[in-house]
């Protein structure tokens, strides 16, 4: 859904999105890395419909993903890192609060 | 456990100005912010952009670049800054609990400043939960922090200064939106506030310049659009709307929505400080004195979190709260506080002069404040619709948002009502023919951000 402006090259890192290695600039958040593709971060616990990041500032929680094994992580708040595993989150997974 | 004279939550213009002033007055000052870098929403990632992509400055505009001066003052002030620190609670003794890279922690504050800013008002239209629909601010954040631009056909829809700003920033980045759709604005009602607006520093010229830039681009700019709806199978494929008496349809890959800002209240609400309904901004805000004191002793609120006033006013409120906090800690006398406050009070007044016009002009349309189409999702987390809330408000006699929560689970998902609270209030008010103030808002309890049992176990309390 998004692409990098060509005049802003940056060192790439490799992240693994749903098992597929992808090279992205090091200065993205995990949500931004997903938005370079189809943007889908999770499906909802209620109806199972797909969601993508909506606010990119930590308020909507539509970017909840499993990052390096930790579920319910707000992908828009986490900078990418070499080897980071970013997985889509499917349906009901209880968010403790 | 650590301690500070002043703990500032939020590193936007308000928090940065407050921290720089407080540290300058000799207060041990700690800033906590959940973003990786200081700057808040307007100056997001500004130091890194300056260091690595200075080319972005010209397309983001002069207001963005102006933030470097504030960041410089903050860095030189001696105030400490902890990035990626998310505050979930302030307790009765003013201990501030947060989660950061190294886990959960707390800090004892003598005084607390909440400077958590604004969020974009929800824009509940049919289809707004589809992938391929985001807020305008989200697209701007991707541009500022990651130099990412939309790939494909993009439509901006809604109203407000940020909608126009994002449209021209995208144009300067070489992205031509397929259309900019503006929902009805209140030109006639706003007219009587125009003289004060025109006298406020820079606002009228900047607004007109954005409109000129957008018009000159030749991008279809349709004003007075109603009945906005996004549709598609599993993602946004088309946007439909009424314009000049006809239903229109536009194929899209990305829709960017915006309908103005509202204070980010959750932390203040969780303290149970007194809030009031602001009719002109159509939102709740904390009741504050001119220094930013709320009804909880030792807690100050500055910036857009206390009512939408813009970045320059936020800086002034931050500086004023710092003076007041230093005074109540006995660091400066009342006399010194008042003397130092004068230029900030004057400057804030000049910027506040722009509000009445902007708030009136861009008051969100009724059909978006309280969505008329019953299948529109209102609570994105629990997928509760406008129709359901209306029905319960009338047939089941559900009097307010907290009862509505019990009926439907609306507001009980992870966003804690940030994306549905105002809409639920408006829907209940409209259905029951009462004022939004009477309908009230969700009761918000800490933690205001999700915390795990592991986090709690780590705390050294
Ligand atoms: C998405 C967006 C984009 C905007 N873009 C522009 C623009 O381009 N130009 C313009 O003039 N105005 C813009 N505005 C309006 C502008 O943000 C405000 O006028 C101004 O930034 C307000 O400053 P502030 O210090 O009150 O809050 P903010 O700048 O919003 O700063 C608040 C800070 O608090 C932090 N925070 C919030 N909650 C917590 C918590 N629980 N724990 C820790 N930290 C927390 C946030 O991470 C943020 O950094 C934008 C607003 C939004 C929402
Ligand atoms: S995109 Fe909204 S919380 Fe991450």
């Amino acid at each position: 859904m998004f692409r990098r402006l060509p005049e802003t090259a940056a060192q790439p890192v490799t992240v693994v999105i749903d098992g597929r290695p992808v090279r992205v600039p090091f200065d993205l958040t995990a949500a931004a890395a997903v938005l370079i593709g189809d943007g889908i971060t999770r499906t909802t616990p209620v109806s199972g419909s797909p969601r993508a990041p909506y606010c990119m500032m930590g308020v909507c929680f539509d970017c909840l993903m499993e990052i390096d094994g930790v579920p319910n992580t707000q992908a828009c708040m986490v900078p990418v890192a070499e080897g980071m595993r970013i997985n889509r989150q499917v349906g009901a997974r209880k968010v403790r609060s | 456990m650590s301690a500070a004279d002043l703990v500032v939550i939020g590193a936007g213009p308000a928090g940065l100005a407050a921290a720089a002033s407080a540290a300058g007055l000799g207060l041990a000052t700690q800033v906590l912010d959940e973003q990786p870098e200081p700057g808040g929403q307007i100056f997001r990632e500004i130091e890194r952009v300056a260091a690595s992509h200075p080319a972005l400055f010209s397309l983001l505009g002069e207001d963005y670049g102006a933030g470097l001066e504030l960041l410089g003052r903050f860095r030189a002030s001696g105030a400490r800054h902890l990035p990626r620190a998310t505050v979930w609670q302030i307790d009765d003794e003013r201990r501030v609990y947060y989660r950061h890279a190294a886990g959960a922690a707390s800090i004892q504050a003598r005084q607390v400043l909440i400077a958590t800013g604004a969020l974009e008002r929800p824009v509940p239209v049919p289809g707004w939960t589809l992938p391929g629909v985001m807020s305008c601010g989200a697209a701007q954040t991707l541009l500022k922090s990651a130099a990412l631009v939309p790939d494909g056909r993009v439509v901006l829809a809604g109203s407000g200064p940020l909608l126009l700003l994002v449209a021209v920033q995208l144009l300067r980045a070489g992205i031509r939106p397929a259309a900019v759709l503006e929902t009805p604005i209140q030109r006639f009602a706003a007219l009587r506030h125009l003289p004060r607006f025109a006298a406020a520093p820079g606002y009228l010229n900047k607004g007109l310049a954005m409109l000129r830039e957008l018009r000159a681009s030749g991008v279809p700019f349709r004003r007075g659009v109603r009945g906005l709806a996004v549709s598609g199978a599993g993602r946004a494929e088309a946007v439909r709307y009424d314009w000049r008496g006809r239903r229109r349809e536009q194929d899209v890959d990305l829709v960017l929505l915006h309908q103005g800002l509202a204070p980010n209240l959750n932390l203040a609400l969780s303290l149970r400080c007194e809030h009031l309904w602001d009719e002109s901004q159509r939102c709740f805000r904390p009741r504050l004195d001119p220094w930013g004191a709320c009804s909880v002793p030792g807690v100050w609120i500055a910036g857009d979190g206390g009512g939408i006033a813009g970045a320059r006013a936020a800086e002034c409120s931050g500086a004023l709260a710092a003076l007041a906090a230093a005074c109540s800690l006995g660091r400066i006398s009342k006399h010194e506080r008042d003397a130092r406050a004068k230029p900030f009070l004057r400057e804030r007044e000049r910027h506040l002069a722009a509000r009445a016009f902007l708030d009136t002009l861009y008051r969100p349309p009724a059909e978006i404040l309280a969505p008329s189409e019953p299948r529109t999702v209102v609570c994105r987390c629990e997928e509760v619709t406008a129709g359901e809330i209306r029905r319960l408000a009338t047939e089941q006699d559900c009097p307010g948002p907290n009862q509505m929560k019990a009926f439907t689970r609306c507001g009980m998902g992870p966003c804690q009502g940030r994306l549905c609270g105002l809409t639920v209030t408006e829907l209940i008010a409209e259905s029951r023919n009462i004022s939004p103030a009477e309908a009230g808002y969700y009761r918000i309890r800490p933690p205001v951000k999700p915390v795990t049992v592991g986090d709690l176990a780590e705390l050294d309390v």
Side-chain angles (χ1 to χ4, degrees), chain B residues 30 39 74 76 83-84 139 148 175 228 240 245 260 284 286 395 418 456:
Chain B
Q30 175 71 57
F74 170 67
R84 294 193 65 198
L148 294 187
I175 305 302
L228 207 53
R240 296 196 178 84
F284 290 96
E395 287 170 27
R418 288 172 176 88
L456 296 175

Side-chain angles (χ1 to χ4, degrees), chain A residues 31 52-64 74-77:
Chain A
Y54 177 78
C55 75
M56 289 306 287
M57 59 175 279
V59 299
C60 76
F61 290 74
D62 268 325
C63 65
L64 290 180
Q74 285 180 286
C76 71
M77 307 299 284

Side-chain angles (χ1 to χ4, degrees), chain A residues 57, chain B residues 9-15 32-35 39-42 63 85-88 115-120 137-138 140-141 144 162 165 169 261 264 267 302-305 309-311 314 448-449:
Chain A
M57 59 175 279
Chain B
I9 303 155
L32 303 171
D33 188 288
E34 63 177 336
Q35 304 296 338
Q41 302 309 340
I42 176 165
D63 283 350
T86 301
V87 172
W88 83 71
T116 49
L119 30 92
E120 288 176 275
Q140 194 202 39
T141 294
K144 286 174 182 170
L162 194 59
L165 178 62
Q169 287 172 334
L261 304 172
N264 181 0
L267 204 49
D304 276 0
V448 300
K449 285 276 179 143

Side-chain angles (χ1 to χ4, degrees), chain B residues 33 50 74 107 182 192 197 204 291 304 373 382 398 400 433:
Chain B
D33 188 288
F74 170 67
I107 179 168
E182 190 178 65
R192 67 192 175 94
F197 181 71
L204 181 60
W291 301 100
D304 276 0
E373 156 50 55
E382 298 292 335
C398 181
N433 211 3

